[in-house]
Amino acid sequence: MTLKGMVKGMRNMLGRYIGKWFYNKGIHFDATNTPYFPPIVNAIQRAGPTIKPPTAYELSGPILDEEVDEVRNLIEEYKQRWPRTGITLMSAGWLNKVSKKEFVNFLAYFPKGTAFLSSKDVSGTKKDANFSVRLYDQIVEEVGDKHIVQFITDNVGAS
């Protein structure tokens, strides 16, 4: 077998194993188009056969904690730019159909992207003008009113 044939065979085998994992876990094929997919394949190739993959515990514990810390640090870095760039504060309500709990999510949109700020459980709260003022005052105070250039909310509420 030629070197070209061996490379083609190895690539096919890699594709088959990745495919089986995608099919088994119902991962959308578009996941290969994220900026995170090529580096994972490269890291696996560099690690070689002696490195064991992370366990479910590691992925849901220490590795997840590291990723959360990285995202928090990135958001803090972005917040330092908000006085110069401003943000669009966005909110959207939704209902968890299983638990019947209502939530309002708050996000900040700015030139580098969108960041989740917080989610408020508004279950059982009377949805009147005072409710909206209290809810939005709270998030505006957390963000800083001088940073907000516009505010976008859904008009449906948390349903």
Side-chain angles (χ1 to χ4, degrees):
M1 181 177 273
T2 67
L3 180 60
K4 186 176 179 179
M6 286 178 23
V7 169
K8 185 177 179 181
M10 290 297 289
R11 185 171 189 281
N12 185 58
M13 184 178 71
L14 175 65
R16 299 271 316 271
Y17 281 114
I18 290 172
K20 286 177 194 241
W21 181 58
F22 271 64
Y23 312 143
N24 180 261
K25 288 302 176 186
I27 300 169
H28 196 282
F29 302 133
D30 192 45
T32 61
N33 295 327
T34 71
Y36 303 104
F37 186 71
I40 192 173
V41 173
N42 291 336
I44 290 169
Q45 291 168 334
R46 283 192 311 273
T50 59
I51 304 299
K52 292 187 188 305
T55 64
Y57 165 76
E58 291 168 322
L59 286 170
S60 66
I63 293 172
L64 177 60
D65 291 342
E66 288 178 29
E67 289 300 313
V68 168
D69 288 343
E70 183 178 321
V71 169
R72 281 191 180 129
N73 291 337
L74 195 56
I75 290 172
E76 286 305 315
E77 179 185 315
Y78 291 157
K79 283 181 178 180
Q80 301 304 314
R81 298 178 186 167
W82 290 359
R84 290 190 320 270
T85 64
I87 66 164
T88 296
L89 185 61
M90 302 184 297
S91 70
W94 64 280
L95 173 68
N96 180 320
K97 291 185 167 90
V98 175
S99 69
K100 304 294 185 208
K101 289 191 174 243
E102 296 176 280
F103 298 91
V104 176
N105 290 339
F106 291 95
L107 304 115
Y109 174 81
F110 47 97
K112 284 284 190 177
T114 304
F116 172 82
L117 298 173
S118 66
S119 184
K120 308 288 185 196
D121 183 346
V122 296
S123 305
T125 307
K126 184 177 176 186
K127 314 301 186 289
D128 59 9
N130 290 330
F131 158 79
S132 296
V133 169
R134 283 191 315 273
L135 187 64
Y136 298 129
D137 270 353
Q138 186 179 5
I139 193 71
V140 167
E141 188 163 320
E142 290 172 20
V143 171
D145 62 350
K146 62 185 171 283
H147 305 313
I148 301 170
V149 293
Q150 69 178 336
F151 188 84
I152 299 173
T153 184
D154 65 8
N155 61 359
V156 178
S159 52

